[in-house]
Amino acid sequence: MALSATVSQKKHVKRKAPRGFLRRLFKRQKPHLRLETRGDVLVHLNCLLFIHRLAEEARINACESKCGIIKKDHVVAAAKVILKKSRA
Amino acid sequence: MANNFSPDSEPTARTLLRRVLDTADSCTPQRRRSDRISAQRTLLETPSSRRRSIQTKVTARQRSHGARSTGRLAHGQAGGQLEEQTPRTLLKNILLTAPESSIVMPQSVVKPAPAPQVVQPSRRKSSQSSLELQLPELEPPPTLAPVLLGSGRRKQKLRLSVFQKEVEWGPQGLPVSQEPPGNPDASSLTSSLNLTFATPLQPHSVRKPGLARRPPTRRAIDVGALLQDLQNNSLASTPLVDNLRAPVATLPTDIVLEDTQPFSQPLVGHSPNVHYSLPHPYPGPEDAEGTVHHRTQGSIPELQNHKLQPEPADPLEMTEAEGSKRAMEAKNPEESSGDEDISDRPGKRPSVRRSQRTVEPEEPKRSSKDEDISDRLGKRPSVERSRRAVEPEEPERSSEDEDISDRPASSELASNVPEFLQAKQLDQFLEPAPSSGATVLSSEPQEPVLARTHPRPRTAVPRPRQDPHKGGLNHYTKLFSFYAKMPMERKALEMVEKCLDKYLQHLCNDLEVFAAHAGRKTVKPEDLELLMRRQGLVTDQVSLHVLVERHLPLEYRQLIIPCAFSGNSVFPAQ
C-alpha cells in the first residue's frame, strides 16, 4: 500500500530518471562508495536543476547577444558561471 | 338451481352419473346428514376428501355427484325430503351440464347469466351446497380441487376455492371478459385456476409467487453469448489494429470496442504498442502541439509504415521504398523532401540496416523516426540548417540510428520534453521534435562518421562502453533544449554534454566528501540535501521537498517525501 499500484493504463513515468545510468556513473567514479536507493533520484533532481539553470543562463546570453539561436559560446559562458556557482 | 339444462352432450356421462347417483346415494346419506348438521364446511370437507382421492373423471364425477347429492340432500333437508328427488334431477341435469360445459365454464348452465353474484349471495346457503356441487363440478379440473384441498388449510382453501369459484362463476357465467367487481385477486386466482389446469402448483404459486421461478438457463446462455461476443470482439480488435494502413477505419472500431476505457487513444496506443506502431489517433495530440502538424502526420504514417514493414519481415529496402511511397501518398510537400531524403539514402542504408539488423526490431523504427525527427527539424526556424542537416546528416543519421538503437535505456528515458505525450515510443519520437533532433545529431558528430564506416562487429564493440553513457547524457541534453526554449546548435548541445559530464564528476566528489565527513561509506539522501544546500538550490525558504514536488514526477516524489498511510504507517520509513 505504501507504493500504491500505478494506474493500469499509465505504467510509465513521464520524464523517467535514468537511474541505471546514474548508478553506473557513480559506481564508475567512486567504486568504493555506495549509493542509496533514493540517492540516485535526488541526483537526478540535482542534474535537472543544473540543466535548468544552465539553459536559463544560456538563453540569457543568447538573448543578450540578440541571437535567435543558442550558440556554443553562449553555452560555454553560461557553463562557466553555473559551474562556479555549483561548486560554491 | 340451474333450470337451464342444455341438451346432453355426453350420454355416456349421463349414464355414468346416474349410476353413480344410484350408488352414491346409498353410501352417503348418513354422512351428508351429519355433515349438514355439523356445518357446511364438513360437507365441503367430505367431498373434498373424496375429491382428493379422485383421479379419474368418473370417480370425480361420482363424488361430485355424491357431493352434489349431499348438497342436494342438504337442500332437500332444508327444504324437505321432497327436494331430494328434485335435487337428484337437478343433479342429473347439472351433471349433464357439467361435462358439456368446459371445466373452465361449469356454471354457464348452473347459474343463470344475469346477476350471478346476486344469485351467489342469495344462494349462500344453497350456494354453499351449490358451491359444493359446483366444487365437484370443478373437480373435472381435478388438479385444482385436490391441490387446493391438499394443503393443510382445508377449510380456508375450500372457502377460497369456493370464493374463487364464485368469482369464476361470475366471469364465467357472464362473458369471460367480465370480472367480478371487488375481487380482482379472486379473478386472478380464478384465472390462474382456470389457466393452470395442468399445474397444480399454481394456486400455491399464486399465493406464494416467489416459489415459481423460471429456470436460470437463460443466464448461462447469455454468459456464453457474452463470452462469444467478447472473443469476437477481441479477435476483431486485433486484426483491426493490424490494419493500420487504414487508420481511419480502425479508429472508430477501436474506439467502439474499447468503449469502456475512458480514453480510447491511450489504450489503443498502448495495447498494440508492443508489437505495432502507434495508431492513428496519436497524431491528434501531436497536432495539438501546433508546431508539428504536417510533419507529424506525414511522419507518423511513415512511422507506422516503417513499423508495419519490419513486422512482416520485409526487406528493409522494401520497407523504405514502401515508406517512401506511402509518404508520397500522404501528399505533403514537406514529406516529399523527406522522401527524397529517404530515397536518397540507399547508399547509406547499409549503416541503418546494419544497426537495424543488429538491434532489436524496434529500433529500425527509431531509425525511421530519426528521419522523421530530421523532417520535423525542417519546421524549425532553422529550416535551412535542418534541410542541410537532413542531407549531410545522413551519415550522422546512420550513426544516430546506431546510437539510438544502442541506447535501450535512453529510448525509455526519452520521455522528456512533451509532457502530454504518453506513449513511450511516441515520446521518443516526438520529444525530440522541438529540437532534440538537432541535439541528437549534434551530439555525436565524430562517432557517427567512424561508426558508419565500420562494419557491424566494430559497431557492436564500442556500444556498451560509450553509448550508454552518451545515451544517458543525451537524456539531459534533450531536457536542456527543452528548458532553453530556443533553437540550438549542435555544437552547443555537445557543449552541454561536456558540462554535464564535468558537473557529475564534481557531484560525485562532493558526495564522497560529505559521506566521509559523516563517517559513512554510503551516500545517503542527507548528503544530497547538503549538496543542494551548498549549491544554493535549497534555502530556508525553499526546502528540498518543495523542489522535489516541483520537478519530479509523482512516483519519485512518493519515494522521497514521507507520507502517512492508513494503519499508522509512514512510507518511506524514517
Side-chain angles (χ1 to χ4, degrees):
Chain A
M1 179 201 359
L3 271 179
S4 62
T6 56
V7 183
S8 61
Q9 280 190 7
K10 180 181 157 187
K11 281 208 166 165
H12 85 284
V13 182
K14 293 175 192 165
R15 309 214 183 171
K16 230 160 62 168
R19 299 182 76 172
F21 165 72
L22 293 171
R23 283 183 168 278
R24 212 184 309 128
L25 196 78
F26 187 79
K27 204 65 188 172
R28 212 175 277 175
Q29 293 267 333
K30 309 283 173 192
H32 55 279
L33 286 181
R34 296 184 199 173
L35 186 59
E36 253 203 31
T37 313
R38 301 182 201 117
D40 55 353
V41 177
L42 288 169
V43 169
H44 172 70
L45 173 67
N46 209 341
C47 295
L48 282 179
L49 293 167
F50 170 75
I51 294 287
H52 197 72
R53 283 181 292 170
L54 194 65
E56 287 289 333
E57 190 64 32
R59 196 154 66 99
I60 290 168
N61 288 348
C63 290
E64 282 181 358
S65 65
K66 297 190 181 175
C67 263
I69 307 171
I70 292 176
K71 292 188 179 170
K72 187 174 179 182
D73 34 352
H74 302 151
V75 172
V76 168
K80 275 189 187 169
V81 174
I82 300 294
L83 279 171
K84 195 161 189 193
K85 221 195 239 181
S86 306
R87 246 182 244 182
Chain B
M1 302 308 230
N3 295 327
N4 302 333
F5 304 113
S6 62
D8 298 343
S9 61
E10 299 177 4
T12 57
R14 289 180 187 175
T15 56
L16 290 171
L17 290 171
R18 286 171 186 173
R19 291 172 190 172
V20 168
L21 281 172
D22 296 336
T23 57
D25 294 337
S26 62
C27 300
T28 53
Q30 295 177 357
R31 291 180 189 176
R32 294 166 191 170
R33 291 168 188 172
S34 64
D35 291 340
R36 188 176 162 249
I37 292 167
S38 61
Q40 294 171 350
R41 297 178 186 177
T42 56
L43 287 170
L44 293 170
E45 287 175 2
T46 51
S48 67
S49 62
R50 291 175 187 175
R51 291 166 203 163
R52 290 175 191 174
S53 61
I54 289 167
Q55 287 185 354
T56 62
K57 287 189 177 180
V58 175
T59 55
R61 285 173 189 171
Q62 290 176 358
R63 286 164 192 190
S64 64
H65 294 313
R68 289 166 190 167
S69 62
T70 55
R72 296 292 179 187
L73 287 173
H75 249 299
Q77 288 179 1
Q81 290 181 353
L82 294 174
E83 294 180 1
E84 290 180 359
Q85 294 176 358
T86 54
R88 278 191 185 182
T89 57
L90 292 170
L91 280 173
K92 289 178 186 178
N93 295 328
I94 291 164
L95 292 172
L96 292 174
T97 58
E100 285 180 0
S101 64
S102 64
I103 294 159
V104 177
M105 302 274 294
Q107 308 125 1
S108 59
V109 180
V110 172
K111 288 189 180 179
Q117 289 185 351
V118 176
V119 175
Q120 287 178 355
S122 63
R123 289 185 179 178
R124 273 287 166 164
K125 300 178 181 179
S126 63
S127 69
Q128 289 176 354
S129 60
S130 65
L131 288 170
E132 295 169 7
L133 301 172
Q134 292 164 356
L135 283 172
E137 289 176 356
L138 289 174
E139 282 177 356
T143 58
L144 291 174
V147 169
L148 290 171
L149 303 170
S151 67
R153 312 167 191 171
R154 297 179 188 178
K155 302 175 184 178
Q156 295 176 3
K157 286 190 179 178
L158 284 172
R159 284 187 175 175
L160 283 171
S161 63
V162 166
F163 210 70
Q164 292 167 358
K165 284 159 188 173
E166 284 181 354
V167 175
E168 285 176 3
W169 295 341
Q172 287 173 358
L174 296 173
V176 181
S177 61
Q178 293 181 6
E179 291 183 358
N183 295 327
D185 297 338
S187 65
S188 67
L189 289 173
T190 57
S191 63
S192 68
L193 287 169
N194 297 331
L195 295 171
T196 63
F197 180 65
T199 61
L201 292 173
Q202 280 263 338
H204 295 281
S205 65
V206 170
R207 291 163 195 174
K208 299 177 185 178
L211 292 177
R213 289 290 182 197
R214 294 303 168 194
T217 55
R218 290 177 189 175
R219 293 178 192 175
I221 293 167
D222 293 338
V223 170
L226 284 173
L227 290 173
Q228 288 172 3
D229 293 338
L230 286 171
Q231 289 173 2
N232 294 335
N233 288 342
S234 64
L235 291 172
S237 63
T238 51
L240 288 170
V241 172
D242 293 340
N243 299 332
L244 286 172
R245 300 186 181 184
V248 178
T250 57
L251 245 186
T253 53
D254 290 340
I255 291 167
V256 169
L257 290 171
E258 299 170 355
D259 201 358
T260 56
Q261 300 299 336
F263 306 103
S264 61
Q265 292 181 0
L267 256 190
V268 175
H270 283 291
S271 58
N273 222 5
V274 178
H275 307 288
Y276 308 109
S277 62
L278 299 164
H280 200 66
Y282 270 108
E286 297 169 9
D287 294 340
E289 295 180 29
T291 58
V292 204
H293 279 290
H294 310 290
R295 289 297 183 185
T296 54
Q297 289 177 0
S299 61
I300 283 166
E302 288 178 356
L303 290 174
Q304 292 175 348
N305 298 335
H306 288 296
K307 292 176 191 179
L308 285 172
Q309 292 150 10
E311 289 154 9
D314 292 334
L316 294 171
E317 294 176 357
M318 292 294 297
T319 62
E320 295 160 9
E322 293 176 1
S324 64
K325 289 176 188 174
R326 288 166 193 174
M328 296 298 292
E329 292 174 354
K331 300 177 185 177
N332 275 340
E334 295 176 350
E335 292 173 359
S336 64
S337 66
D339 300 337
E340 292 172 358
D341 296 334
I342 295 164
S343 59
D344 288 340
R345 306 176 212 166
K348 280 136 195 185
R349 280 297 145 192
S351 65
V352 176
R353 294 170 199 166
R354 243 191 303 121
S355 61
Q356 290 174 350
R357 289 170 192 172
T358 51
V359 192
E360 299 169 6
E362 293 178 353
E363 296 178 355
K365 305 170 190 175
R366 294 170 197 171
S367 64
S368 59
K369 298 165 193 177
D370 298 332
E371 302 165 11
D372 302 328
I373 291 162
S374 63
D375 293 339
R376 289 167 203 164
L377 282 176
K379 278 210 159 187
R380 298 231 127 212
S382 59
V383 170
E384 297 176 355
R385 178 168 61 80
S386 63
R387 297 277 176 177
R388 298 171 215 153
V390 167
E391 297 173 353
E393 282 174 6
E394 292 174 348
E396 293 174 356
R397 284 178 192 169
S398 61
S399 68
E400 293 163 13
D401 301 340
E402 294 175 356
D403 296 331
I404 291 160
S405 62
D406 290 339
R407 8 165 184 147
S410 65
S411 62
E412 296 177 353
L413 303 174
S415 59
N416 290 337
V417 174
E419 298 177 351
F420 49 83
L421 292 176
Q422 295 182 359
K424 290 183 186 179
Q425 295 178 4
L426 242 197
D427 290 343
Q428 294 166 6
F429 312 141
L430 300 176
E431 287 170 359
S435 63
S436 61
T439 59
V440 170
L441 301 170
S442 62
S443 61
E444 295 133 356
Q446 298 176 357
E447 284 190 354
V449 176
L450 297 172
R452 182 170 64 86
T453 55
H454 288 325
R456 287 189 213 176
R458 256 189 116 165
T459 54
V461 170
R463 268 189 204 170
R465 263 273 155 136
Q466 279 284 340
D467 294 334
H469 186 79
K470 290 290 182 180
L473 293 178
N474 273 336
H475 181 66
Y476 291 106
T477 51
K478 290 177 194 172
L479 276 175
F480 181 90
S481 59
F482 173 72
Y483 282 133
K485 295 188 174 75
M486 283 175 67
M488 307 195 54
E489 287 181 345
R490 272 177 267 150
K491 292 181 185 175
L493 290 170
E494 297 165 22
M495 198 59 214
V496 168
E497 270 192 18
K498 286 181 191 170
C499 296
L500 189 65
D501 214 358
K502 262 193 202 172
Y503 174 76
L504 284 172
Q505 285 181 12
H506 290 310
L507 185 105
C508 292
N509 293 334
D510 290 346
L511 289 176
E512 184 184 5
V513 168
F514 295 152
H517 178 75
R520 285 185 261 106
K521 283 195 178 176
T522 309
V523 175
K524 290 205 163 177
E526 294 92 33
D527 303 331
L528 265 294
E529 183 165 0
L530 179 61
L531 175 73
M532 295 176 76
R533 189 168 273 275
R534 279 178 59 91
Q535 288 181 351
L537 294 168
V538 174
T539 63
D540 297 335
Q541 281 74 35
V542 179
S543 78
L544 174 65
H545 289 187
V546 170
L547 292 174
V548 167
E549 285 190 12
R550 269 190 214 159
H551 298 277
L552 289 184
L554 176 68
E555 285 74 10
Y556 300 141
R557 200 174 96 189
Q558 281 175 353
L559 276 180
I560 293 163
I561 299 176
C563 186
F565 290 86
S566 77
N568 220 16
S569 67
V570 177
F571 181 83
Q574 304 228 333

